[in-house]
Amino acid sequence: QVQLVESGGGLVQPGGSLRLSCTASGSVFSLYAMAWYRQAPGKERELVAAITIFGGTNYADSVKGRFTISRDNANNTMYLQMNSLKPEDTAVYYCNANRTSLEYWGQGTQVTVSS
């Protein structure tokens, strides 16, 4: 069992930056592939960025060049650095941990990009 807690969301103006954190507990963090998803009102949840246990990354086309995912296995934490934020980035952002048939989700953190 893995518990995931997100933090770092908030209100930011267009063009601004935020850094989300996801702290894990309950299992061996380094054994899990990790990802950030987001869900905007009226839309389906979508993958934003993912990072493998080896540090390989991939991003949704809509955030490439603006967002950076990273992980700190020593501190059981994953990050999402979000730069050049746009109003369309407004959503609830969720942390995901997965390993073979196991999958866990955090409770989500709200990101609102508005002037």
Side-chain angles (χ1 to χ4, degrees):
Q1 188 81 354
V2 176
Q3 294 80 44
L4 302 172
V5 178
E6 301 100 333
S7 62
L11 173 64
V12 63
Q13 291 187 343
S17 298
L18 282 175
R19 188 175 80 156
L20 305 183
S21 299
C22 171
T23 301
S25 61
S27 189
V28 182
F29 177 77
S30 61
L31 296 180
Y32 287 80
M34 302 294 295
W36 288 98
Y37 286 75
R38 68 186 180 187
Q39 187 166 20
K43 295 188 176 181
E44 293 188 354
R45 192 172 296 190
E46 64 174 357
L47 176 67
V48 176
I51 186 165
T52 71
I53 61 173
F54 304 109
T57 60
N58 68 282
Y59 298 90
D61 288 343
S62 59
V63 307
K64 281 181 181 176
R66 300 187 299 121
F67 290 10
T68 302
I69 189 172
S70 61
R71 64 189 300 162
D72 179 353
N73 289 339
N75 290 299
N76 293 348
T77 303
M78 173 180 66
Y79 302 98
L80 185 68
Q81 177 66 43
M82 305 187 294
N83 299 327
S84 302
L85 283 160
K86 305 175 181 180
E88 50 264 43
D89 294 317
T90 295
V92 178
Y93 284 69
Y94 296 92
C95 173
N96 173 276
N98 60 89
R99 179 187 178 203
T100 58
S101 61
L102 301 173
E103 187 173 45
Y104 303 96
W105 293 90
Q107 82 289 349
T109 185
Q110 176 71 47
V111 172
T112 303
V113 184
S114 175
S115 54

